[in-house]
Amino acid sequence: MHQLSRRGFFKGVGAAALAATAVPAAVAPARAAPTSFSKVVDLTHALPEDFPTFFGQPQLEIENVYKFDKDGFNLNIWHLNEHTGTHMDAPIHFSKDGQTADQVEVEKLVVPIVVIDVKAKAAEDPDYRLTPDDIAAWESANGDLPDGCCVAMNSGWDAHVKSDMFRNADGDGVMHFPGFHAEAADMMIKDRNVIGMAVDTLSLDHGASKDFKTHYTWLPSGRWGMECIANLDAIPATGATLVVGSPKIVGATGGPSRLIALI
Amino acid sequence: MHQLSRRGFFKGVGAAALAATAVPAAVAPARAAPTSFSKVVDLTHALPEDFPTFFGQPQLEIENVYKFDKDGFNLNIWHLNEHTGTHMDAPIHFSKDGQTADQVEVEKLVVPIVVIDVKAKAAEDPDYRLTPDDIAAWESANGDLPDGCCVAMNSGWDAHVKSDMFRNADGDGVMHFPGFHAEAADMMIKDRNVIGMAVDTLSLDHGASKDFKTHYTWLPSGRWGMECIANLDAIPATGATLVVGSPKIVGATGGPSRLIALI
C-alpha cells in the first residue's frame, strides 16, 4: 500500500491555467479583545487503518516495532498518506509554491469558527454545493462572518463515516457527497476575510467534481482547508473558537490534524 | 530506515515489576470559570527528516507521490516513528494496557501549563533531574500547582535542537541531557493533581537514565508526557493554557503533536 494507485483523477486538471493566479495570502487579524471559553469539544474523527479515503484505498498502515511484553515499551511506525482522516489541506496541496503545513502561521490556527448547516439540502441532493446564497442567508440570521474565521459546512455527512455512504460511489466509481461551490470560495476570498474552509466530507469540492475548482480557487490564495471535520452538531453556528492542531512536518502538503473547539 | 535498529536500550528494564502498579488515571477537573486569552504562542518544533532522535537514527521519511507540475497537485506519504519531534507519550507507551493517544479525553488536552526553569542547573550539570524541591520552590514563588495542569521543564535545551548538544552523547553513546526525577513524578501523581509532564529534551527521563524510572512512574498512572517541547521562554511561569494537538490515530502510543499556548 505504500504506493497509492495513480488513477489519474487529477490529470491535466487545468493546473497550468490556475497556477499563475498569485493572490496575496489571507491575513490573520490581530486579536482585538480577549477570547473566552468554558468548554472544549473535539471535532476530530478517530483514525483507524480503514478510515474511508478519497482514493478508495487504505492510506494508513501502523507497523508495530516494539511491544511492551517483549521490549518493555510500545512503539509504532506509521505509513501515512497526508490526506487521511480529519486533515488539513495546506496551500501547497493545490499550488506550485504555496505554504506547506509547517509554514502556516500559528495565528491562523486559532480562529473563530462558524457553521453553515446544509443538512436538509444535502439529504435531498448528495451533489449539493454550498453557495454564496447559503453564506448570505447565514449572515442574515447570525451577522457578518467574523474577521479571519473558518467557515465549516455541516452537511450531516459525518454520520456516514462508518458506511459506504461516506464516499457514496456510483457504478462508475463517481462519488456523490456535498462540498463548497467555487463561487462561495471566491466570495469568501474577495468579499470577506475568511482564513479556513472546513467540510465534513472527503473533499472541499463535491464528490462528483471533475475540475476541483474549489480546491484551485481556495488553496492557491494562501488559505487552508480542512476535510473530514467531525461533530459540528456539538458547536453553535457562531461564537466558538477553533484550535487547529495541524502537523509541523517540514514540507507537508497537509496532514491529520487535531481540531478542538473552545466554546 | 523502516526498521529501527533494536539496540536493546530498554531490554529487561523492569517492565514486569512496574506493570502491576495499577494507579487510577488522572482526572481532568471541571472548568470552574471561563478561561480567557488574547495571544497565541507555538510551542512546537518544525519537524524535518533530520530532527534529532532518541535512538540517533532518522525517524521520518517523506515520500513524494504526486507533484503539482505533473499531476496538478502535491501529496506525500510519511514513514514516521511516533516518537519524533515535539510529540506525545501516551500512557500505553510504557504500560501494558494504558490509554492509547486516541483515547486520551479532550478535557485532558486543554489544560493550564506551568513552566519550571532549571536552565542554570542544567547548564552546570547536563544530567540534572528536576526534583520535588524544584516544584516546592516554584510553588513558593507562584502559588500551588493548578489543578489538572501540565508541568513543563525549561532546561534551555531547545536552543540545542540543531546541534549534537541536543543528544549530547559521550564516547560510549550515553546521552547527557536533563529530565524529571522519578521522585518529582511521584509527587505530581500523589500529592498534586498534574495531568501532563513536558520536557524540552528527548526524554522525560534524563539522557543517562538506565532504568527509565520516570517513564515507568508517570505513564502507567494514566497521565501523558510531551517531549521536545519548544519555545518555553515565550510563555509565563503560570497563567497560560496549553492546547495539545495530539494525533487521534487508533492504537497510537503517542505521536507528533501541535502544541499551542493561549495567553
Side-chain angles (χ1 to χ4, degrees):
Chain A
M1 73 132 283
H2 300 161
Q3 290 300 328
L4 287 175
S5 64
R6 295 171 187 253
R7 292 206 261 156
F9 268 125
F10 299 86
K11 299 287 181 192
V13 119
L18 286 145
T21 318
V23 181
V27 175
R31 235 160 250 284
T35 301
S36 217
F37 66 95
S38 53
K39 193 181 155 193
V40 299
V41 175
D42 196 351
L43 303 182
T44 321
H45 282 295
L47 177 50
E49 288 180 317
D50 64 353
F51 193 89
T53 67
F54 184 85
F55 291 106
Q57 303 295 326
Q59 295 188 170
L60 166 64
E61 186 191 323
I62 298 177
E63 178 188 358
N64 177 250
V65 285
Y66 290 99
K67 217 179 242 334
F68 186 77
D69 284 339
K70 187 162 66 68
D71 304 303
F73 68 111
N74 294 302
L75 185 150
N76 305 306
I77 292 176
W78 306 336
H79 305 282
L80 174 63
N81 178 311
E82 291 168 332
H83 295 271
T84 309
T86 301
H87 71 276
M88 170 180 273
D89 282 4
I92 190 74
H93 183 39
F94 270 74
S95 64
K96 190 174 169 60
D97 49 14
Q99 283 182 317
T100 52
D102 55 300
Q103 292 173 333
V104 176
E105 300 86 351
V106 70
E107 290 77 14
K108 291 185 187 169
L109 302 179
V110 183
V111 297
I113 179 169
V114 309
V115 182
I116 301 185
D117 187 329
V118 297
K119 281 187 282 190
K121 290 166 175 170
E124 201 154 300
D125 174 13
D127 296 320
Y128 189 74
R129 288 179 279 177
L130 190 153
T131 65
D133 283 350
D134 289 320
I135 296 173
W138 187 95
E139 289 188 320
S140 292
N142 299 285
D144 292 346
L145 289 181
D147 203 26
C149 72
C150 168
V151 175
M153 173 188 77
N154 184 356
S155 72
W157 231 251
D158 85 337
H160 304 313
V161 73
K162 298 203 173 174
S163 82
D164 289 343
M165 184 69 183
F166 201 63
R167 299 184 75 248
N168 197 23
D170 63 24
D172 296 325
V174 176
M175 293 179 284
H176 298 279
F177 57 74
F180 273 83
H181 198 292
E183 289 173 10
D186 207 48
M187 175 190 189
M188 297 195 298
I189 293 169
K190 292 183 181 152
D191 303 329
R192 305 289 186 279
N193 180 24
V194 177
I195 279 180
M197 172 193 289
V199 294
D200 56 356
T201 58
L202 280 162
S203 174
L204 305 179
D205 283 275
H206 68 304
S209 170
K210 287 178 178 158
D211 57 12
F212 300 90
K213 196 166 175 187
T214 299
H215 276 84
Y216 282 114
T217 300
W218 188 252
L219 297 177
S221 80
R223 293 165 173 82
W224 54 256
M226 200 60 66
E227 292 166 341
C228 302
I229 192 170
N231 209 16
L232 288 174
D233 283 337
I235 67 170
T238 188
T241 299
L242 176 66
V243 183
V244 177
S246 49
K248 207 169 172 177
I249 291 185
V250 174
T253 72
S257 300
R258 189 60 169 261
L259 302 186
I260 295 178
L262 312 174
I263 305 182
Chain B
M1 71 133 281
H2 300 163
Q3 290 301 330
L4 286 175
S5 63
R6 296 171 185 251
R7 291 206 260 159
F9 266 124
F10 297 87
K11 298 287 182 193
V13 119
L18 287 145
T21 318
V23 181
V27 175
R31 234 159 250 283
T35 302
S36 216
F37 66 96
S38 52
K39 194 181 155 193
V40 299
V41 175
D42 197 351
L43 303 181
T44 320
H45 282 294
L47 176 50
E49 287 180 316
D50 64 353
F51 193 89
T53 67
F54 184 86
F55 292 105
Q57 304 296 325
Q59 294 187 170
L60 166 65
E61 185 192 324
I62 297 177
E63 179 189 357
N64 177 250
V65 286
Y66 291 99
K67 219 179 239 339
F68 187 78
D69 284 340
K70 187 161 65 69
D71 304 303
F73 68 110
N74 294 303
L75 186 151
N76 305 307
I77 291 176
W78 305 337
H79 305 282
L80 174 63
N81 178 312
E82 291 168 333
H83 296 269
T84 310
T86 301
H87 71 275
M88 170 180 274
D89 282 4
I92 191 73
H93 183 40
F94 271 74
S95 64
K96 189 174 169 58
D97 51 14
Q99 284 181 316
T100 51
D102 54 300
Q103 293 173 332
V104 177
E105 300 85 350
V106 69
E107 290 77 15
K108 292 185 186 167
L109 302 179
V110 182
V111 297
I113 179 169
V114 310
V115 182
I116 302 185
D117 187 329
V118 297
K119 282 187 281 191
K121 290 166 174 170
E124 202 154 298
D125 174 14
D127 296 319
Y128 188 73
R129 288 179 281 178
L130 189 151
T131 65
D133 283 350
D134 290 318
I135 296 173
W138 186 95
E139 288 188 320
S140 292
N142 299 285
D144 293 346
L145 289 181
D147 202 26
C149 72
C150 167
V151 175
M153 173 187 79
N154 185 355
S155 73
W157 230 252
D158 85 338
H160 304 314
V161 73
K162 297 201 174 178
S163 82
D164 289 343
M165 185 68 182
F166 201 63
R167 299 184 76 248
N168 197 22
D170 64 24
D172 297 323
V174 176
M175 294 179 283
H176 299 278
F177 57 74
F180 274 84
H181 199 291
E183 289 173 8
D186 209 46
M187 175 191 190
M188 297 195 296
I189 294 170
K190 293 183 182 152
D191 303 330
R192 305 289 186 277
N193 180 24
V194 176
I195 279 180
M197 173 192 290
V199 294
D200 57 356
T201 58
L202 280 163
S203 175
L204 304 178
D205 284 274
H206 68 303
S209 170
K210 288 177 180 158
D211 57 12
F212 300 90
K213 196 167 175 185
T214 299
H215 275 85
Y216 282 114
T217 300
W218 189 251
L219 297 177
S221 80
R223 291 166 173 80
W224 53 256
M226 199 61 65
E227 292 166 342
C228 302
I229 192 170
N231 209 17
L232 288 173
D233 283 338
I235 66 171
T238 187
T241 299
L242 175 66
V243 182
V244 178
S246 49
K248 206 168 173 178
I249 290 184
V250 175
T253 73
S257 301
R258 189 58 171 264
L259 303 185
I260 295 178
L262 312 174
I263 305 182

